[in-house]
């Protein structure tokens, strides 16, 4: 192992291993069939453990959904979710009265703060064609001073997310998408105001990179006191500072010196998570992340007593009308849609 490659690990189960300030990372890829009138799988759901289906049977899962796949209403406190919807759609509804449909490259960044209940469902909007769905969900910790801020979500519509194609000396290209953290001359969109990513000292970055076969690419230099992890999730092999890594592995690299990536003989994709550790105690119980066990107990009491604002929707896993495109309605009534 080189002095630039600090650690490697297998991505053999979900969630993938993460390092402070990140808490959790999953990559869902589901080849959903056509949808019926309810936007449920038209092929039916027999043979599945409904309510807890992570089987991947026939190339897809229902997760916690009973009609439409997805994750019906569940609480969060003390951290943020960053949901990168690479394909398909996600229908969001929450206890603040907000709702959204996003997908095909959109990103939702939600600060749970003092507490929110939200639902994330995967409507199968196409009745006459398959509904492939792919997403990353990343949990980003909040520092102690921000644990109990007001909940908030921000939409990054795909049309506005910065992208850059880097071409090497052999005219092979690497396409970089910037969700957080500056990359070369690309300035990222603004994260939620209370996020650790909003602190200049965080050095936080979330990038994805698509590399052509044989392409080479130099990672930019960052501060020594942050942690940079590469998740190599598609391709064949990747040379990281000359060390060959097989698909399905993570690599922690030294961020303060140049690190060259050289792709193998298949198109490759990499997720990059980077940030300066918050460095505070972490107490976690499922969807609650605080600093001490007593705060977890209080979170559970608060949720039982208040439901974090209640649930204004008729079902635990609401889905929006089939004909609706991408949109967001915030808890204060503000509405937005992607340009064009």
């Amino acid at each position: 192992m080189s002095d630039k490659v600090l650690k490697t690990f297998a991505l053999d189960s979900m969630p993938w291993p993460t390092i402070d300030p990140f808490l959790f990372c999953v990559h869902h890829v589901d080849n959903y069939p056509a949808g019926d009138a309810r936007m449920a799988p038209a092929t039916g759901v027999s043979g599945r453990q409904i309510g807890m289906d992570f089987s991947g049977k026939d190339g897809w899962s229902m997760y916690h959904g009973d009609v439409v796949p997805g994750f019906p209403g569940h609480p969060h406190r003390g951290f943020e979710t960053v949901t990168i919807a690479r394909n398909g759609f996600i229908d969001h509804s929450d206890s603040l009265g907000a709702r959204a449909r996003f997908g095909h490259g959109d990103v939702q960044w939600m600060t749970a703060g003092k507490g929110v209940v939200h639902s994330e469902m995967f409507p199968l909007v196409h009745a006459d064609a398959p509904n492939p769905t792919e997403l990353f969900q990343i949990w980003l910790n909040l520092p102690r001073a921000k644990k109990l801020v007001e909940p908030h979500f921000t939409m990054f519509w795909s049309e506005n997310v910065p992208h850059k194609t880097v071409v090497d000396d052999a005219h092979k290209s690497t396409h970089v998408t910037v969700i957080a953290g500056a990359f070369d001359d690309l300035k990222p969109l603004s994260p939620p105001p209370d996020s650790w990513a909003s602190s200049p000292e965080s050095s936080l970055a979330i990038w994805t990179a698509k590399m052509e076969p044989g392409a080479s690419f130099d990672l930019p230099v960052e501060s020594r006191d942050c942690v940079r992890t590469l998740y190599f999730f598609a391709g064949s092999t990747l040379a990281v500072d000359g060390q060959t890594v097989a698909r399905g592995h993570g690599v922690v690299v030294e961020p303060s010196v140049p690190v060259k990536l050289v792709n193998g003989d298949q198109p490759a994709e990499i997720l990059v998570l980077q940030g300066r550790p918050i460095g505070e105690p972490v107490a976690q119980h499922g969807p609650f992340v605080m600093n001490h066990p007593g705060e977890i107990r209080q979170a559970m009491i608060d949720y039982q007593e208040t439901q974090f604002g209640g649930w204004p929707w008729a079902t635990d896993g609401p889905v929006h009308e089939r004909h609706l495109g991408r949109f967001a309605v915030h808890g204060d009534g503000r509405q937005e849609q992607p340009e064009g």
Side-chain angles (χ1 to χ4, degrees):
M1 192 169 295
S2 76
D3 57 356
K4 298 181 182 179
V5 176
L6 307 180
K7 180 181 180 180
T8 63
F9 53 90
L11 306 179
D12 50 7
S13 63
M14 296 285 180
W16 291 341
T18 53
I19 302 171
D20 183 8
F22 298 98
L23 300 162
F24 175 95
C25 181
V26 292
H27 181 212
H28 291 306
V29 180
D30 290 281
N31 296 308
Y32 289 119
D36 65 14
R38 302 172 299 171
M39 292 179 282
T43 55
V45 294
S46 63
R48 297 175 183 273
Q49 186 178 347
I50 296 303
M52 186 64 76
D53 173 36
F54 289 74
S55 66
K57 181 176 180 288
D58 301 323
W60 52 274
S61 299
M62 288 292 291
Y63 302 107
H64 296 310
D66 55 5
V67 176
V68 173
F71 297 85
H74 54 282
H76 291 306
R77 170 179 276 187
F79 65 99
E80 299 184 284
T81 61
V82 182
T83 306
I84 306 169
R86 288 162 56 92
N87 200 7
F89 291 107
I90 300 173
D91 278 4
H92 165 97
S93 305
D94 67 34
S95 56
L96 306 178
R99 61 194 186 106
R101 172 171 288 168
F102 61 100
H104 298 291
D106 300 329
V107 178
Q108 186 198 64
W109 194 320
M110 187 184 78
T111 304
K114 69 179 184 181
V116 66
V117 181
H118 76 153
S119 168
E120 303 156 290
M121 306 305 294
F122 310 148
L124 308 186
V125 299
H126 300 299
D128 56 356
N131 289 271
T133 300
E134 180 189 1
L135 66 98
F136 287 108
Q137 186 164 96
I138 299 157
W139 292 9
L140 173 62
N141 202 6
L142 285 167
R144 186 195 315 270
K146 302 289 187 177
K147 287 287 187 187
L148 299 180
V149 297
E150 291 295 325
H152 178 91
F153 80 81
T154 296
M155 292 303 310
F156 292 171
W157 302 113
S158 62
E159 292 86 347
N160 301 324
V161 174
H163 300 263
K164 182 170 185 175
T165 298
V166 179
V167 180
D168 64 19
D169 291 341
H171 307 292
K172 301 287 188 177
S173 65
T174 298
H175 188 75
V176 180
T177 301
V178 173
I179 290 97
F183 177 86
D184 288 349
D185 57 346
L186 291 185
K187 182 180 179 181
L189 299 174
S190 297
D194 292 304
S195 175
W196 179 234
S198 291
S199 172
E201 69 210 46
S202 72
S203 298
L204 195 126
I206 302 173
W207 307 324
T208 59
K210 293 183 178 182
M211 303 182 70
E212 277 192 291
S216 64
F217 168 61
D218 293 319
L219 290 168
V221 173
E222 189 46 84
S223 169
R224 178 179 292 276
D225 56 0
C226 74
V227 178
R228 177 180 284 167
T229 306
L230 316 180
Y231 297 86
F232 177 33
F233 65 92
S236 55
T237 60
L238 181 71
V240 182
D241 190 43
Q243 179 174 327
T244 300
V245 177
R247 178 186 59 82
H249 282 79
V251 186
V252 181
V253 299
E254 172 57 53
S256 64
V257 293
V259 175
K260 181 176 288 293
L261 309 181
V262 180
N263 190 23
D265 60 2
Q266 296 181 20
E269 295 197 73
I270 303 156
L271 170 70
V272 180
L273 299 183
Q274 171 191 291
R276 180 175 288 123
I278 294 172
E280 296 175 350
V282 174
Q284 180 172 357
H285 182 78
F288 305 135
V289 182
M290 303 301 290
N291 296 111
H292 300 289
E295 296 168 325
I296 295 292
R297 291 191 290 272
Q298 187 61 53
M300 296 173 72
I301 291 169
D302 291 347
Y303 175 57
Q304 290 170 354
E305 291 182 348
T306 71
Q307 297 298 297
F308 294 158
W311 189 246
W313 311 104
T315 67
D316 287 341
V319 293
H320 311 315
E321 294 87 348
R322 184 191 296 269
H323 71 276
L324 293 178
R326 297 144 61 216
F327 74 95
V329 179
H330 296 259
D332 60 4
R334 179 170 58 89
Q335 301 183 28
E336 61 173 307
Q337 290 181 303
E339 297 177 4

